[in-house]
Amino acid sequence: MGVSRSISVSDLALCQKCPALLAYKIFKGAKTAWHVGIKGSGYAYGSLFHKNIAKVFFQGASNPESILYEKIAASLRYPSSLESMISKYILIPLLDSNSEQLMTEQVDAMNRAITVWIRAMYEFFMGIPSLLKNPEKNMQKIFIQPEQMLKAYYNFSNGNTLVVKGCYDALMFNPDKAEARLFEFKGHMKSDITVPLSQSLIYSWLIWKKSGIFPSVEIIYLDEIEKKPDIFEPSFVEKMIKTQLPELFHSAFSVLLSKRVPEILRDKKLCSVCPFKNSCIKDWGGKQ
């Protein structure tokens, strides 16, 4: 009989960065492990924008009973109208209720992020005739409720199972073409694309397991708003899922099952900024 272990998407992404960091987080309680190697001001970190702007928008756009539903429907045909609506009914109320907690830099970053995010969404739903023809009727089919918990099972050849769980940031569906777009909001600067993409790939895998659709992925870096978001097409996402995730799943399962890190060649650049560099080899083994 096989063994089963569970892991979150964020912990899998940490394992992609370095299996030793996953081990430090899980077995030694190192809460700062996820931050190793990340560059950014912190003014526009992803959770702030996601929870207070994007999540509120997607909740309203996916629920006909929401007070925002009709306002969003009326503004969808033009990016400037949509931006004004979000600023008036989502951003300004947020500022009014959190004026003492939010720094000026955070507010400026969110304003810039809204413009980039709307441009990204608009590019996708311009290819959905049914949405533009009748927004009120079709919005709930396109804007999916945010933060839905997804769970899927990866079965190893030896009978063991890795249970993967996670809540994506934001998801749009194009029923006219059976397409989907996954949005991820990152509150740091773009450095190593393989790390944030790995998290999006895992969410894409979960979406594919649930719906049979490989989504395109759009990653918006809230600390580098002037740069165009990264967009990965479904064919690329499918290829990466099939070539990259099996090895990642095996590495993570090895850590969870045996409290040992698979023998790895360490990233010297990452190691140079890692607070665990002096104890890592002793704690987990591996190659220099």
Side-chain angles (χ1 to χ4, degrees), residues 80-92:
S80 59
S81 177
L82 186 58
E83 184 171 354
S84 297
M85 188 284 304
I86 291 175
S87 295
K88 181 178 181 179
Y89 294 104
I90 300 179
L91 180 59
I92 292 177

Side-chain angles (χ1 to χ4, degrees), residues 46-61:
S47 60
L48 175 68
F49 184 86
H50 165 62
K51 292 180 179 179
N52 295 286
I53 305 295
K55 180 181 177 181
V56 176
F57 174 86
F58 272 82
Q59 285 176 330

Side-chain angles (χ1 to χ4, degrees), residues 58 61-62 69 76 121 124-125 128-132 134-135 137-145 170-176 179-181 183:
F58 272 82
S62 59
Y69 191 84
L76 280 181
M121 285 197 300
F124 182 77
F125 61 64
I128 312 176
S130 62
L131 174 64
L132 300 177
N134 194 335
K137 180 180 179 181
N138 295 301
M139 270 171 44
Q140 67 269 33
K141 303 175 185 176
I142 293 153
F143 297 96
I144 310 302
Q145 274 281 345
L171 180 65
M172 292 176 64
F173 181 66
N174 182 347
D176 296 357
E179 296 175 342
R181 172 69 58 89
F183 290 93

Side-chain angles (χ1 to χ4, degrees), residues 53-109:
I53 305 295
K55 180 181 177 181
V56 176
F57 174 86
F58 272 82
Q59 285 176 330
S62 59
N63 180 11
E65 303 300 320
S66 168
I67 59 174
L68 287 177
Y69 191 84
E70 290 186 4
K71 293 178 174 60
I72 294 172
S75 65
L76 280 181
R77 289 188 174 88
Y78 303 99
S80 59
S81 177
L82 186 58
E83 184 171 354
S84 297
M85 188 284 304
I86 291 175
S87 295
K88 181 178 181 179
Y89 294 104
I90 300 179
L91 180 59
I92 292 177
L94 169 66
L95 301 182
D96 289 342
S97 59
N98 294 273
S99 58
E100 295 182 0
Q101 288 78 29
L102 293 173
M103 294 181 289
T104 302
E105 291 86 351
Q106 289 177 310
V107 176
D108 290 342

Side-chain angles (χ1 to χ4, degrees), residues 136 141 145 157 198 228 287:
E136 282 197 39
K141 303 175 185 176
Q145 274 281 345
S157 58
S198 70
K228 188 175 181 180
K287 297 179 180 179

Side-chain angles (χ1 to χ4, degrees), residues 237-258:
V237 171
E238 179 180 2
K239 178 182 177 181
M240 292 292 286
I241 284 175
K242 292 179 177 179
T243 59
Q244 301 296 319
L245 290 191
E247 182 179 353
L248 174 59
F249 290 153
H250 277 83
S251 294
F253 193 85
S254 177
V255 174
L256 294 173
L257 185 63
S258 62

